[in-house]
Amino acid sequence: MWGRSRWAETRGSCCLCRVDQFLMLKHSRVGIGLLGASKMSVGKSHTDRQWWKEAVVYQIYPASFNDTNNDGRGDVNGVTEKLDYLKDLGVDVVWLSPIYDSPQVDNGYDIADYKKIYPPYGTLEDVDRLIQELGRRGMKLVMDLVVNHTSDQHPWFLESRSSKSNPKRDWYIWRKPKYDVEGKPRPPNNWNQILGEAHSAWIFDETTQEYYFAAFTPQQSDLNWENPDVRAAVYDILRFWLDRGVAGFRMDVINLISKDQSFPDAEVVIPGQPYQPATQHFANGPRLHEFLGEMRREVLDKYDQMTVGEMPFIYDDKEFLKIVHQKDGFLNMVFHFELVDIDSERGDVPGDARMSVGNWDVSDLRRIISRWQRIMIDGGGWNSLYCENHDQPRSVSHYCDDSDEYREYGSKLLAMMETTLSGTLFVYQGEELGMRNVPLAWGPEEYKDIEVNEMYPNDQEKLQKARRALRAKARDNGRTPMQWDSSPNGGFCPEEVTPWMRVNDDYPVVNAAAQTKPEATSSVYHFWQRLVTLRKENAGALVHGGFELIDETNPDVFSYVRVADSGEKWVVVLNFTGHSATWESPKWGLQWVAGNYADGLDKVQSGGTDLVHLRPWEGLIARQPCN
């Protein structure tokens, strides 16, 4: 058993276990999992348990994880090399962003061959070995499935564009041009690109004199899911990987596969711009459920696997529940964007709404998270829990204060929130270290993402003006190489090798080697490690339990209670501000067991009052045993 010496830490660290009674929780899941649903004062809980619900999923961005062949890019063998690191953290499932053969226009999300590996990443044999090594550790592999579109270099598209009579012509979306008064061809409608709002989503093909649809970039041509041959080819891809031992898929923008086949003009919402956002016409289309249902019947139901769909541009709660309902849905869970878009508003960077940086407060955070907890718990669905990924800024920079003074506190605060909510937990590489956004001093030339280049092609002046927005929101913030140690290049690749993207300047301090040392008990990594253990050992409450807000009007503190069917309560108190705050504790006889300040538990337990005083970015977790 763990004694007090392991958990009582020095200033600037955390205490995750103080009382002897807490140690008894290691086996508290026994006897809870088989209890039926029961009504309680804080809302019902989930009772349908599947392996993927309690799993901790770790997302790896392959180019930036670990380079073992000294070419400046990460690779599959680099993932295999670090499996013990992930196992020690508590990871159950590794999710790889695309490793398929690709021209890398959009860092692998433009796929040229779904059954081959991008050579710098390795070979199919390397993937087989990774799956085998994961299995030896009781872990699984999830692949990124990108089937809304392919690369324009995919053999399917090369055939499709070769002539109007080619058998694969209808595998993509082709339309005849309109013509202006001068007889010049113009796009079929006014839809713009997602990664470049100023550009048309229709690309003119000189050979066949028609336009093809590409929602993201000209090099990512959308597949025509109306064609049953396309769907059959996609299902063949799924079987190929599932038969190889993959345990499921993260499905990239899967709700874009069904489009409005009338392809009408979009409403003008950006005055003076010729091309307009049209997601209402090509997201969540009329045949989406039909396509997903067919995929499930033809492939997914025949394997023990997990699915999570990335689904932007859905704003209807009922639509989400139709997708993920545990009885009648099509996927296990979805990624929604409401939390990561908490500060987005059009205006900061003209021409790209996603790069805007607006204001938010605790009430916004409370409203979004509590709404999604209630939607899924009450509606029979299941949440995905994430605060950052390869398309988002680093969470400590996004939601907290990433300064040297508060970076660790903020990183631990977010960990406390993520590990105590209902849903499947997704951790992004480096999040467990408290990695932060790139420095503001970095110039636009350091950004590699096509989104930045498409925003202002060849316009360095405008890019310089957008520097602050890029530092806050650019996707490259989450794509800097993993910081393994304090050696040159952060241990990602050898000193003499130039990494594909610059390593964040703070790697001498923020790195895995420093944080995984046994004596580094106060590190962000060790805090995550202990919270993951806490979550797994108390899954009845923290994964499957009921959820209810506490003190819904507090302007600074986000607090809630999780309840197991046994009646055991867990209370989470999070000060999401950079100043001191107060919170009134319910009179429940709470045992305070976790905090992200070294002396946080001592302070709250010796306060002698129900009024809890919280320092900037301070969080606390308490337990009330069942009677």
Side-chain angles (χ1 to χ4, degrees), residues 107-152:
N107 288 297
Y109 284 87
D110 50 317
I111 297 169
D113 192 326
Y114 291 92
K115 297 181 181 181
K116 292 183 180 179
I117 305 302
Y118 179 52
Y121 289 162
T123 65
L124 281 173
E125 290 71 27
D126 293 333
V127 177
D128 290 340
R129 188 168 72 90
L130 171 61
I131 294 172
Q132 182 180 17
E133 289 300 315
L134 283 164
R136 283 202 319 110
R137 294 165 174 82
M139 302 164 72
K140 300 176 185 289
L141 178 66
V142 163
M143 298 282 278
D144 221 312
L145 183 73
V146 188
V147 290
N148 172 70
H149 51 266
T150 71
S151 166
D152 65 348

Side-chain angles (χ1 to χ4, degrees), residues 12-28:
S13 61
C14 64
C15 295
L16 192 61
C17 182
R18 278 279 310 356
V19 293
D20 291 338
Q21 294 93 327
F22 179 71
L23 302 178
M24 298 169 60
L25 297 179
K26 290 192 68 178
H27 304 290
S28 65

